[in-house]
Amino acid sequence: MFHEAHYVLQILTQEVAPSSDLIATVKHLYETKLKDVSILIPLLSSLTKDEVLPIFPPLLNLSPEKFQLALGHILQGSAHTGPALTPAEVLIAIHEVVPEKGGPPLKKITDACSACFEQRTVFTQQVLAKALGQMVDRTPLPLLFMRTVIQAIDAFPTLVDVVMEILSKLVNRQVDFVMEILSKLVSRQIWRLPKLWPGFLKCVSQTQPHSFPVLLELPMPQLESIMKKFPDLRPSLTAYANQPTIRASLPNSALSVLGLENGQDSRSQMHPSDAASSIHAAALT
C-alpha cells in the first residue's frame, strides 16, 4: 500500500502543487496508518515552516538519499509560498533535534549536518555565520554546536573572525565550553593552518587567564615561538604554570620553555590573578 501511495503522490505532485485537500488527506494517512515520514516527501515543498518543523526528527531517520531528497523539497518550496525553511533555519532545526529514545540517533543528526556541508552553494559562508550566530544565543547550547563550529572553520577558513567573535560572546557564560573548543583546535594542529592560527591566538588573548591550560597543551615549538614573539605573555603564564598542582603535570620541556626547570623563576612570583591584566598587553593578533 505504501509504495503504491508514494508512487501516486509523485505523479500527482510532479508538475502541479498538491491541493490543500490532498495535503490534509496524506497527513492524516501518515499520522494514523502509515507512520512512514517518507510518504510526505513529495509534499514538503508545499508545507509551511510550522508543518515541517514537527516532522524534522523522523526526517533525519531516513536514508541519506531520501533525506537529501526531502531537504531539496524543503529548500525548494513552492512558487506561491517560497521555501518552507531557509538554509540557516534547516541547520538550526537539525541542531535542535535531541537524540533520545524513539528519535533519531546521534549519528543520524551528525550525518544530516554533514549533508548540509556538502552543499556549499546552498549552505554558504553567510548561511553558516547566520546559523551559528543564532544558535550561540540558545540556552542550552545545541549538543553539536562545537562540532559545527569546527566544521565551519574547516569548510570556510575566512569564517574564523566570525567564529572567534561568537566564542568571545560565550566566555562569560560558557567558559569551559569555549576552552573545550580551543583545546579541540589544538588537537587538530591549528598552528598548521596559517589562516586560522592568528584568529586562535586572538581568542586565546581575549579569554585569558582561562586559556592558560590550552596554551600549555601546545607542542613546545609552538609555545616557545609564542613566548619569543609575545614576551609580555610570559610572566602571567609562568605564574600560572608555577602553581604546584599545575607544575607537577607539565613535562620538563614545558618547564624549560617557561624558565622553570631549575627551580622557581623569579619572574613568576606574582599570583596568577595579579598577573592576569598583563596578558592583554601581549596583543595576540
Side-chain angles (χ1 to χ4, degrees):
M1 176 182 176
F2 170 80
H3 295 293
E4 293 177 354
H6 193 267
Y7 180 68
V8 170
L9 275 176
Q10 283 183 315
I11 294 176
L12 291 176
T13 59
Q14 193 167 10
E15 296 183 0
V16 295
S19 65
S20 57
D21 288 342
L22 178 60
I23 293 174
T25 299
V26 176
K27 285 175 64 178
H28 179 73
L29 187 63
Y30 163 69
E31 293 166 358
T32 59
K33 293 184 178 180
L34 294 180
K35 301 294 184 181
D36 187 333
V37 74
S38 60
I39 192 67
L40 298 178
I41 291 178
L43 306 178
L44 289 175
S45 58
S46 299
L47 299 184
T48 65
K49 177 179 179 178
D50 290 339
E51 290 173 318
V52 169
L53 286 177
I55 62 172
F56 230 87
L59 285 176
L60 298 189
N61 259 332
L62 294 172
S63 67
E65 296 77 14
K66 285 186 176 181
F67 175 73
Q68 287 281 20
L69 183 60
L71 196 57
H73 280 286
I74 291 172
L75 293 171
Q76 171 190 340
S78 68
H80 301 291
T81 62
L85 300 175
T86 66
E89 288 173 333
V90 165
L91 271 175
I92 293 170
I94 292 172
H95 282 77
E96 289 184 338
V97 176
V98 179
E100 56 188 15
K101 188 175 181 180
L106 183 61
K107 186 178 185 308
K108 284 287 189 179
I109 303 175
T110 58
D111 286 348
C113 288
S114 297
C116 294
F117 275 92
E118 291 172 6
Q119 300 185 39
R120 299 285 182 90
T121 58
V122 177
F123 295 90
T124 62
Q125 176 175 320
Q126 291 74 21
V127 167
L128 287 168
K130 183 176 182 179
L132 291 173
Q134 292 184 29
M135 284 191 282
V136 76
D137 292 326
R138 296 289 201 272
T139 302
L141 281 167
L143 179 64
L144 294 178
F145 181 81
M146 183 179 76
R147 180 180 184 274
T148 300
V149 164
I150 294 171
Q151 275 190 302
I153 294 178
D154 283 346
F156 300 100
T158 51
L159 264 178
V160 66
D161 289 337
V162 173
V163 168
M164 294 310 168
E165 182 180 348
I166 287 172
L167 296 186
S168 294
K169 287 180 63 177
L170 283 173
V171 172
N172 291 333
R173 62 188 180 95
Q174 297 278 353
V175 169
D176 292 341
F177 185 78
V178 175
M179 293 311 111
E180 184 181 354
I181 294 175
L182 294 179
S183 181
K184 186 75 172 180
L185 291 173
V186 169
S187 71
R188 295 173 71 89
Q189 301 185 342
I190 185 76
W191 58 89
R192 294 182 181 274
L193 303 173
K195 292 183 179 180
L196 306 188
W197 181 235
F200 172 86
L201 294 179
K202 182 178 180 181
C203 194
V204 166
S205 173
Q206 293 174 338
T207 58
Q208 59 77 34
H210 306 290
S211 59
F212 288 167
V214 176
L215 277 172
L216 294 175
E217 290 180 14
L218 289 166
M220 291 311 101
Q222 279 67 44
L223 181 60
E224 187 171 18
S225 175
I226 291 173
M227 294 296 96
K228 289 179 179 179
K229 188 172 183 179
F230 309 110
D232 290 339
L233 178 63
R234 181 185 293 273
S236 48
L237 181 59
T238 301
Y240 169 81
N242 200 38
Q243 297 175 90
T245 54
I246 304 299
R247 181 170 178 156
S249 67
L250 296 176
N252 289 334
S253 55
L255 297 176
S256 177
V257 169
L258 296 172
L260 295 173
E261 76 279 15
N262 293 320
Q264 182 169 304
D265 191 304
S266 61
R267 292 171 294 182
S268 64
Q269 293 299 316
M270 69 180 89
H271 190 273
S273 61
D274 299 328
S277 61
S278 68
I279 278 295
H280 289 295
L284 297 182
T285 56

